[in-house]
Amino acid sequence: MFGSWGMIQPRMVDPRLALPGREQPILPDGAPHDIFDTNVLDTPEGSEVAYLALGCFWGAEKLYWNTPGVTNTAVGYMGGFTQNPTYEETCSGRTGHTEVVRVTYDPAQVSYDELLRIFFENHDPTQGMRQGNDIGTQYRSAIFTTSPEQKDAAAAALQRYGQAFDEAGYGAVTTEVVDEPTPFYAAERYHQQYLDKNPAGYCPIHATGVTCG
């Protein structure tokens, strides 16, 4: 999961130069979830869906599968131009995608606001196209909303945390809030629940200690 200033330029690819991708999904039938008794692409009954990008998706997924009220998780790619990208293509910087966790949650047990609190408090949303030593467009901070209510909640959280990070001496929050429909492309099977399969795997959480209420 390492990036490099030399290998990956921290800027978005020109859509005209993006890799073309493919029609066939990388994970067409999903995969069994290693923690929940689900397929990783299932939305359990009564659940809603959130899409959150906070750097390396291995550690981010673990944060959410350990959150009470979360009913399923999957990792994948969103926000770029390439159809059904691979991990290697995404890491090349030529797809425009960022690493995302698809979180399904029971709103009777955990609120979307709580998912956003976990999001903002467990990475540095002021770093632009990076998280720590992980550098590239695939590590940028983003929230992909799925309803007007999520859009409003994300905008409110962005304002609150923007003020909190400013007061703590950080730069401006660079988190993107994307409210137009955007495809989620599931990542390869070995990335799903990676830190359950590889408990000693590299994927630090870049929490800053900044909180907001």
Side-chain angles (χ1 to χ4, degrees), residues 78-126:
M78 293 179 78
F81 313 107
T82 299
Q83 184 179 16
N84 294 306
T86 66
Y87 177 69
E88 289 75 16
E89 289 170 344
T90 300
C91 288
S92 77
R94 296 180 60 200
T95 72
H97 291 292
T98 187
E99 296 187 11
V100 170
V101 184
R102 180 184 188 268
V103 180
T104 71
Y105 63 101
D106 180 350
Q109 299 184 55
V110 62
S111 68
Y112 185 65
D113 280 340
E114 175 64 8
L115 301 183
L116 292 178
R117 183 195 66 77
I118 294 168
F119 172 85
F120 279 109
E121 294 183 5
N122 284 280
H123 77 301
D124 183 347
T126 71

Coordinates of all heavy atoms in Angstrom, one line a residue, residues 78-126:
M78 N -13.9 4.1 -6.3 CA -15.0 5.1 -6.8 C -14.3 6.4 -7.2 O -13.2 6.7 -6.8 CB -16.0 5.3 -5.7 CG -16.9 4.1 -5.3 SD -18.1 4.5 -4.0 CE -19.3 5.4 -4.9
G79 N -15.1 7.2 -7.9 CA -14.7 8.6 -8.1 C -13.7 8.8 -9.3 O -13.3 9.9 -9.4
G80 N -13.5 7.8 -10.1 CA -12.6 8.0 -11.3 C -13.3 7.8 -12.6 O -14.5 8.0 -12.7
F81 N -12.5 7.4 -13.6 CA -13.0 7.4 -15.0 C -12.9 6.0 -15.6 O -13.5 5.8 -16.6 CB -12.2 8.3 -15.8 CG -12.0 9.7 -15.1 CD1 -10.8 10.1 -14.6 CD2 -13.1 10.6 -15.1 CE1 -10.6 11.3 -14.0 CE2 -12.9 11.8 -14.5 CZ -11.7 12.2 -13.9
T82 N -12.2 5.1 -15.0 CA -12.0 3.8 -15.6 C -13.0 2.8 -15.1 O -13.3 2.7 -13.9 CB -10.6 3.2 -15.2 OG1 -9.6 4.1 -15.7 CG2 -10.3 1.9 -15.7
Q83 N -13.6 2.0 -16.1 CA -14.6 1.1 -15.7 C -14.0 -0.2 -15.2 O -13.1 -0.8 -15.8 CB -15.5 0.7 -17.0 CG -16.6 -0.2 -16.7 CD -17.4 -0.5 -18.0 OE1 -17.0 -0.2 -19.1 NE2 -18.6 -1.0 -17.9
N84 N -14.5 -0.7 -14.0 CA -14.0 -1.9 -13.4 C -12.5 -2.0 -13.4 O -11.9 -2.9 -13.9 CB -14.6 -3.1 -14.2 CG -16.1 -3.3 -14.1 OD1 -16.6 -3.3 -13.0 ND2 -16.7 -3.3 -15.2
P85 N -11.9 -1.1 -12.6 CA -10.4 -1.0 -12.6 C -9.9 -2.1 -11.7 O -10.6 -2.6 -10.8 CB -10.1 0.3 -11.9 CG -11.3 0.5 -11.0 CD -12.5 0.0 -11.8
T86 N -8.6 -2.5 -11.9 CA -7.9 -3.4 -11.0 C -7.2 -2.6 -10.0 O -7.1 -1.3 -10.1 CB -6.9 -4.3 -11.8 OG1 -5.9 -3.4 -12.3 CG2 -7.5 -5.0 -12.9
Y87 N -6.7 -3.3 -9.0 CA -5.9 -2.6 -8.0 C -4.6 -1.9 -8.6 O -4.3 -0.8 -8.3 CB -5.5 -3.5 -6.8 CG -4.7 -2.9 -5.8 CD1 -5.2 -2.0 -4.9 CD2 -3.3 -3.3 -5.6 CE1 -4.4 -1.4 -3.9 CE2 -2.5 -2.8 -4.6 CZ -3.1 -1.8 -3.8 OH -2.3 -1.3 -2.8
E88 N -4.0 -2.7 -9.4 CA -2.7 -2.2 -10.0 C -3.0 -1.0 -10.9 O -2.2 0.0 -10.9 CB -2.1 -3.3 -10.9 CG -1.5 -4.4 -10.0 CD -2.5 -5.4 -9.4 OE1 -3.6 -5.4 -9.9 OE2 -2.1 -6.1 -8.5
E89 N -4.1 -1.0 -11.6 CA -4.5 0.2 -12.4 C -4.8 1.4 -11.6 O -4.4 2.5 -11.9 CB -5.7 -0.2 -13.3 CG -5.4 -1.1 -14.4 CD -6.6 -1.7 -15.2 OE1 -7.7 -1.5 -14.6 OE2 -6.4 -2.2 -16.3
T90 N -5.5 1.1 -10.5 CA -5.8 2.2 -9.6 C -4.6 2.8 -9.0 O -4.4 4.1 -8.9 CB -6.8 1.8 -8.5 OG1 -8.0 1.2 -9.1 CG2 -7.2 2.9 -7.5
C91 N -3.6 2.0 -8.6 CA -2.4 2.5 -8.0 C -1.5 3.2 -9.0 O -0.6 3.9 -8.6 CB -1.6 1.3 -7.4 SG -2.3 0.7 -5.9
S92 N -1.7 3.0 -10.3 CA -0.9 3.7 -11.3 C -1.2 5.1 -11.4 O -0.5 5.9 -12.0 CB -1.2 3.0 -12.7 OG -2.5 3.5 -13.2
G93 N -2.4 5.6 -10.8 CA -2.8 7.0 -10.9 C -3.5 7.3 -12.2 O -3.8 8.5 -12.4
R94 N -3.8 6.3 -13.0 CA -4.4 6.5 -14.3 C -5.8 6.1 -14.4 O -6.4 6.0 -15.5 CB -3.5 5.8 -15.4 CG -2.1 6.3 -15.5 CD -1.3 5.6 -16.6 NE -2.0 5.7 -17.9 CZ -1.8 4.9 -18.9 NH1 -1.0 3.8 -18.8 NH2 -2.4 5.1 -20.1
T95 N -6.5 6.0 -13.2 CA -7.9 5.7 -13.3 C -8.7 6.8 -12.6 O -9.9 7.0 -12.9 CB -8.3 4.4 -12.5 OG1 -8.1 4.6 -11.1 CG2 -7.4 3.2 -13.0
G96 N -8.1 7.6 -11.7 CA -8.8 8.6 -11.0 C -9.6 8.2 -9.8 O -10.2 9.0 -9.1
H97 N -9.6 6.9 -9.5 CA -10.4 6.3 -8.4 C -9.7 6.5 -7.1 O -8.5 6.7 -7.0 CB -10.7 4.9 -8.6 CG -11.6 4.6 -9.8 ND1 -12.9 4.9 -9.7 CD2 -11.4 4.0 -11.0 CE1 -13.5 4.6 -10.9 NE2 -12.6 4.0 -11.7
T98 N -10.5 6.5 -6.0 CA -10.0 6.5 -4.7 C -10.4 5.2 -4.0 O -11.5 4.6 -4.4 CB -10.4 7.7 -3.9 OG1 -9.8 7.7 -2.6 CG2 -11.9 7.8 -3.6
E99 N -9.7 4.7 -3.0 CA -10.0 3.5 -2.3 C -11.2 3.8 -1.3 O -11.1 4.7 -0.5 CB -8.8 3.0 -1.5 CG -7.7 2.6 -2.4 CD -6.5 1.9 -1.7 OE1 -6.7 1.5 -0.5 OE2 -5.5 1.7 -2.3
V100 N -12.2 3.0 -1.4 CA -13.5 3.2 -0.7 C -13.9 2.0 0.1 O -13.6 0.9 -0.3 CB -14.6 3.6 -1.7 CG1 -16.0 3.6 -1.1 CG2 -14.3 4.9 -2.4
V101 N -14.6 2.3 1.2 CA -15.2 1.2 1.9 C -16.7 1.4 1.7 O -17.3 2.5 2.0 CB -14.9 1.2 3.5 CG1 -15.6 0.1 4.2 CG2 -13.4 1.2 3.7
R102 N -17.4 0.3 1.3 CA -18.8 0.3 1.2 C -19.3 -0.3 2.5 O -19.0 -1.4 2.9 CB -19.3 -0.6 0.1 CG -20.8 -0.7 -0.1 CD -21.2 -1.7 -1.2 NE -22.6 -1.7 -1.5 CZ -23.5 -2.5 -0.9 NH1 -23.1 -3.4 0.0 NH2 -24.8 -2.5 -1.3
V103 N -20.1 0.6 3.3 CA -20.5 0.2 4.6 C -22.1 0.1 4.6 O -22.8 1.1 4.2 CB -20.1 1.3 5.6 CG1 -20.6 0.9 7.0 CG2 -18.6 1.5 5.6
T104 N -22.6 -1.1 4.9 CA -24.0 -1.1 5.2 C -24.3 -1.1 6.7 O -23.5 -1.7 7.4 CB -24.7 -2.4 4.5 OG1 -24.3 -3.5 5.2 CG2 -24.3 -2.5 3.0
Y105 N -25.3 -0.4 7.1 CA -25.5 -0.2 8.5 C -27.0 -0.2 8.8 O -27.8 0.2 8.0 CB -24.9 1.1 9.0 CG -25.4 2.3 8.3 CD1 -26.3 3.2 9.0 CD2 -25.0 2.7 7.0 CE1 -26.8 4.3 8.4 CE2 -25.5 3.8 6.4 CZ -26.4 4.6 7.1 OH -27.0 5.8 6.5
D106 N -27.4 -0.6 10.0 CA -28.7 -0.5 10.5 C -28.9 0.8 11.2 O -28.4 1.1 12.2 CB -29.0 -1.7 11.5 CG -30.4 -1.7 12.0 OD1 -31.1 -0.7 11.8 OD2 -30.7 -2.7 12.7
P107 N -29.7 1.7 10.6 CA -29.9 3.1 11.2 C -30.6 3.1 12.5 O -30.5 4.1 13.2 CB -30.7 3.8 10.1 CG -31.4 2.8 9.3 CD -30.5 1.6 9.3
A108 N -31.2 1.9 12.9 CA -31.8 1.8 14.2 C -30.7 1.6 15.3 O -30.9 1.8 16.5 CB -32.8 0.7 14.3
Q109 N -29.5 1.2 14.8 CA -28.4 0.9 15.8 C -27.2 1.8 15.7 O -26.6 2.1 16.7 CB -27.9 -0.6 15.5 CG -28.9 -1.7 15.7 CD -28.2 -3.0 15.5 OE1 -27.3 -3.4 16.1 NE2 -28.8 -3.8 14.5
V110 N -27.0 2.4 14.5 CA -25.9 3.3 14.4 C -26.3 4.4 13.3 O -26.9 4.0 12.3 CB -24.6 2.6 14.0 CG1 -24.7 1.9 12.6 CG2 -23.4 3.6 14.0
S111 N -26.0 5.6 13.6 CA -26.5 6.7 12.7 C -25.4 7.0 11.6 O -24.2 6.6 11.8 CB -26.7 8.0 13.5 OG -25.5 8.5 14.0
Y112 N -25.9 7.6 10.6 CA -24.9 8.0 9.5 C -23.9 9.0 10.1 O -22.8 9.1 9.8 CB -25.7 8.6 8.4 CG -24.8 9.0 7.2 CD1 -24.1 8.0 6.5 CD2 -24.7 10.3 6.8 CE1 -23.3 8.4 5.4 CE2 -23.9 10.7 5.7 CZ -23.2 9.7 5.0 OH -22.5 10.0 3.9
D113 N -24.4 9.9 11.0 CA -23.6 10.9 11.7 C -22.4 10.2 12.5 O -21.3 10.7 12.5 CB -24.4 11.8 12.6 CG -25.1 12.9 11.9 OD1 -24.7 13.2 10.8 OD2 -26.1 13.4 12.5
E114 N -22.7 9.0 13.1 CA -21.7 8.3 13.8 C -20.7 7.7 12.8 O -19.5 7.7 13.1 CB -22.3 7.2 14.6 CG -21.3 6.3 15.3 CD -20.5 7.0 16.4 OE1 -20.7 8.2 16.7 OE2 -19.5 6.3 16.9
L115 N -21.1 7.3 11.7 CA -20.2 6.8 10.7 C -19.3 7.9 10.2 O -18.1 7.7 10.0 CB -20.9 6.2 9.5 CG -21.8 5.0 9.8 CD1 -22.4 4.5 8.4 CD2 -21.1 3.9 10.5
L116 N -19.8 9.1 10.1 CA -19.0 10.3 9.7 C -18.1 10.7 10.8 O -16.9 11.1 10.5 CB -19.9 11.4 9.3 CG -20.8 11.3 8.1 CD1 -21.7 12.5 7.9 CD2 -19.9 11.1 6.8
R117 N -18.5 10.5 12.0 CA -17.5 10.8 13.1 C -16.3 9.9 13.1 O -15.2 10.3 13.2 CB -18.2 10.7 14.5 CG -17.3 11.0 15.7 CD -17.9 10.5 17.0 NE -17.9 9.1 17.1 CZ -16.8 8.3 17.3 NH1 -15.6 8.9 17.5 NH2 -16.9 7.0 17.3
I118 N -16.6 8.6 12.9 CA -15.5 7.6 12.7 C -14.6 8.0 11.5 O -13.4 8.0 11.6 CB -16.1 6.2 12.6 CG1 -16.8 5.8 13.9 CG2 -15.0 5.2 12.2 CD1 -17.6 4.6 13.7
F119 N -15.2 8.4 10.4 CA -14.5 8.8 9.2 C -13.6 10.0 9.5 O -12.3 9.9 9.3 CB -15.5 9.2 8.2 CG -15.0 9.9 7.0 CD1 -14.5 9.1 5.9 CD2 -15.0 11.3 6.8 CE1 -14.0 9.7 4.8 CE2 -14.5 11.9 5.7 CZ -14.0 11.1 4.6
F120 N -14.1 11.1 10.1 CA -13.2 12.3 10.3 C -12.2 12.1 11.4 O -11.1 12.7 11.3 CB -14.1 13.5 10.6 CG -14.7 14.1 9.3 CD1 -16.0 14.0 9.1 CD2 -13.9 14.8 8.4 CE1 -16.6 14.6 7.9 CE2 -14.4 15.4 7.3 CZ -15.8 15.2 7.0
E121 N -12.5 11.2 12.4 CA -11.6 11.1 13.5 C -10.5 10.0 13.3 O -9.7 9.8 14.2 CB -12.4 10.9 14.8 CG -13.2 12.1 15.1 CD -13.9 12.0 16.4 OE1 -13.8 11.0 17.2 OE2 -14.7 13.0 16.8
N122 N -10.6 9.3 12.2 CA -9.6 8.2 12.0 C -8.8 8.3 10.7 O -8.2 7.4 10.2 CB -10.4 6.9 12.0 CG -10.8 6.5 13.4 OD1 -10.0 5.9 14.1 ND2 -12.0 6.7 13.7
H123 N -8.7 9.6 10.2 CA -7.7 9.8 9.2 C -7.4 11.4 9.2 O -8.0 12.1 10.0 CB -8.1 9.4 7.8 CG -9.1 10.2 7.1 ND1 -10.4 10.5 7.6 CD2 -9.1 10.8 5.9 CE1 -11.1 11.2 6.7 NE2 -10.3 11.5 5.7
D124 N -6.5 11.8 8.4 CA -6.2 13.3 8.3 C -6.9 13.8 7.0 O -6.3 13.6 5.9 CB -4.7 13.5 8.3 CG -4.4 15.0 8.3 OD1 -5.3 15.8 8.0 OD2 -3.2 15.3 8.5
P125 N -8.0 14.4 7.1 CA -8.7 14.9 5.9 C -8.2 16.2 5.3 O -8.8 16.8 4.5 CB -10.2 15.0 6.4 CG -10.0 15.5 7.8 CD -8.8 14.8 8.3
T126 N -7.0 16.6 5.8 CA -6.4 17.8 5.3 C -5.2 17.6 4.3 O -4.6 18.5 3.9 CB -5.9 18.7 6.4 OG1 -4.8 18.1 7.0 CG2 -7.0 18.9 7.5

